[in-house]
Amino acid sequence: MNQLSLANGFNSADIQPVKLGSKPPSPAYLDKRVIKSQRESKRTRSQRARERLATKEHLSRLAVGLGEVELAHKIERCHSRLSVLTCGRHIARIIPNFTCEFRLCPDCGRRRSRRLQNKYLPAMRGFMLRHKVTPVHLVLTQTHKEENRKQSAKRIKDAFTRLHRNSFWNKYFKDGTWSLEFTKDKNGLHHTHLHIIGFRRKFFDIELLRSEWLAATGDSYVLHLKPITDIAAGLREVVKYVSKPLDIRRFGADDLKEFLGLKKMKMFGTFGEFRDFCKTFEPSDNDAAAVGELESLARDLVEGCACPQCNQPLFDLRMSAKELPQFYEQTESSPPGEVRGS
Ligand SMILES: [Zn+2]
Ligand SMILES: [Zn+2]
């Protein structure tokens, strides 16, 4: 296994489409995504910060075009001024002036996805210990039809409800989490996938799951399953779609308009036994330490504290969002103690 596949726990060799009856549709989309996800993990923080800026500029232009001036203004204001707590070489904490909380905002998406990870990771660890279950990442797909995003999401979620209520599922799984991923093909058809973190009780023949999915959907048996070796990385992978529900830079005005019409669509959730577990789960001190370590540490940091990574004193640097990528670049390339101020 090379370093990349280790880094994000995804190895294309793990994904083996299994045939059932007639020729299955090409599973190529997933392989492409694996490559894409490896590429994403290779990008530097400064590159990612630049992409977030470009995405927000694109979104606010689209919003202006639709006459949604207030939304455009909120997106522009969000994370536009930053208070960066840094030793000059490491960034301990970034406090934005304002957060827009718009579903497609990449900065707010990152915050949302961190919140979900902090909330569910301790529960997942606790659940796995208590029930001796192993996590798998299951991707469920459906056939493509002429329908809007809402109809497409409803169709796959209804099918999944049928699947997880049946006896096969309950024999082999102790439920888990789901998240929605939307893409569109060249013909404008929605491809909606469900990403499930399922807690598996025991092994089973993937063909059986495939035929259960066919029974639940009526017309689709394309799914992919891979074991999760690192639950933190597995959770990060599925909440990614919550922070980045769509490829926004390929978005047109019509896409934004449609999206604004479905503000309330839920993109992530827990279900079944895992959901019940989460309702009463209280993380122990150990859990909290394991997950929120950096997060809670960072929350308490103020100017003058020691940098958690190098012990140098932290100072507060004010900058605009446009200056952040360059600051990341400096911190990425500077030897100890070289970058103070900017
Ligand atoms: Zn925002
Ligand atoms: Zn430092």
Side-chain angles (χ1 to χ4, degrees), residues 155-186:
R155 185 158 61 94
I156 199 163
K157 280 165 82 176
D158 287 351
F160 180 62
T161 301
R162 286 191 286 276
L163 176 75
H164 82 74
R165 285 190 181 151
N166 77 15
S167 58
F168 172 85
W169 180 272
N170 288 299
K171 184 171 172 195
Y172 292 104
F173 283 101
K174 260 187 155 356
D175 306 323
T177 69
W178 59 266
S179 50
L180 275 172
E181 181 196 4
F182 294 108
T183 56
K184 246 182 180 182
D185 67 15
K186 282 185 225 103

Side-chain angles (χ1 to χ4, degrees), residues 27 53 55 88 92 134-135 147 182 227 287 340:
L53 274 175
T55 301
T134 51
E147 59 193 348
F182 294 108
D287 292 324
R340 268 194 76 95

Side-chain angles (χ1 to χ4, degrees), residues 87-90 307-312 314:
C87 64
R89 211 179 141 226
H90 306 111
C307 167
Q309 279 162 282
C310 72
N311 269 328
Q312 292 292 308
L314 294 171

Side-chain angles (χ1 to χ4, degrees), residues 104-121:
L104 299 179
C105 168
D107 284 318
C108 293
R110 260 161 43 109
R111 292 164 64 86
R112 203 160 43 239
S113 115
R114 269 201 302 271
R115 281 200 296 269
L116 283 175
Q117 289 174 59
N118 287 337
K119 183 172 173 192
Y120 288 110
L121 190 53

Side-chain angles (χ1 to χ4, degrees), residues 15 17 24-35 222 224:
I15 298 151
S26 162
Y29 98 87
L30 197 69
D31 296 338
K32 267 189 236 138
R33 253 254 317 292
V34 171
I35 294 159
V222 179
H224 305 271

Side-chain angles (χ1 to χ4, degrees), residues 110-151:
R110 260 161 43 109
R111 292 164 64 86
R112 203 160 43 239
S113 115
R114 269 201 302 271
R115 281 200 296 269
L116 283 175
Q117 289 174 59
N118 287 337
K119 183 172 173 192
Y120 288 110
L121 190 53
M124 284 183 163
R125 289 195 168 127
F127 192 72
M128 283 156 63
L129 273 175
R130 169 151 345 150
H131 294 294
K132 304 274 179 292
V133 282
T134 51
V136 296
H137 181 173
L138 174 64
V139 186
L140 298 168
T141 75
Q142 65 184 0
T143 51
H144 314 135
K145 285 184 183 165
E146 291 272 355
E147 59 193 348
N148 64 31
R149 190 166 282 133
K150 196 171 184 173
Q151 290 163 334

